[in-house]
Amino acid sequence: EPFVTGGVSADERESLQKVRTKYALFVQTAAKSGPFLADVEVQISDKAGKPVLNTKLDGPWLLVNLKLGEYKVTANYAGKTQEKWTNIHRGDNHEMVFYFDERVDTLKKGEKLDILSQ
């Protein structure tokens, strides 16, 4: 497979971990507060800017087979964009982690979440 995405459950992460070394690039997405993030849009383009992959992650992990060369990896989440570059050589297993500020709605002390009264 040219790429695989997932890693939501522990079983998925375990099975992806087993095949991880067969892929040139491993991308992981997470919130700065710690939890993994899914639904991140990832674009990979070659040095000339030609798109190689454009996908929305099913989970926090993306494994990609890439030919030798230089690539720009762009990750978009909740209106925020990050870019990183990598250079793939023969036998490489590069790892990239994208951390995003994830907005978490929290209740103030004493405030109740009132969803049943509607």
Side-chain angles (χ1 to χ4, degrees):
E1 294 182 67
F3 75 96
V4 63
T5 175
V8 174
S9 69
D11 288 345
E12 254 188 12
R13 284 192 298 277
E14 187 177 321
S15 65
L16 289 174
Q17 193 70 35
K18 289 177 184 174
V19 297
R20 187 174 151 190
T21 58
K22 296 178 182 178
Y23 292 86
L25 180 64
F26 168 62
V27 175
Q28 180 175 298
T29 58
K32 287 182 180 174
S33 58
F36 287 133
L37 293 176
D39 298 326
V40 176
E41 295 176 0
V42 174
Q43 296 87 33
I44 300 176
S45 52
D46 65 16
K47 188 176 181 177
K50 180 182 172 197
V52 175
L53 176 68
N54 189 357
T55 191
K56 189 173 203 176
L57 303 190
D58 293 336
W61 289 5
L62 171 66
L63 303 172
V64 188
N65 269 328
L66 295 169
K67 295 178 182 176
L68 306 182
E70 192 173 348
Y71 295 91
K72 178 173 74 170
V73 181
T74 306
N76 300 293
Y77 181 75
K80 307 270 188 197
T81 302
Q82 295 181 34
E83 292 180 357
K84 295 185 180 188
W85 287 85
T86 189
N87 202 340
I88 303 296
H89 302 91
R90 182 167 278 109
D92 278 352
N93 298 109
H94 288 250
E95 182 174 335
M96 269 185 195
V97 182
F98 289 94
Y99 289 104
F100 289 91
D101 287 321
E102 182 186 25
R103 185 174 164 265
V104 179
D105 291 328
T106 56
L107 297 175
K108 294 182 179 106
K109 190 172 181 177
E111 185 179 17
K112 293 187 176 144
L113 184 59
D114 194 9
I115 58 172
L116 299 176
S117 64
Q118 296 178 353

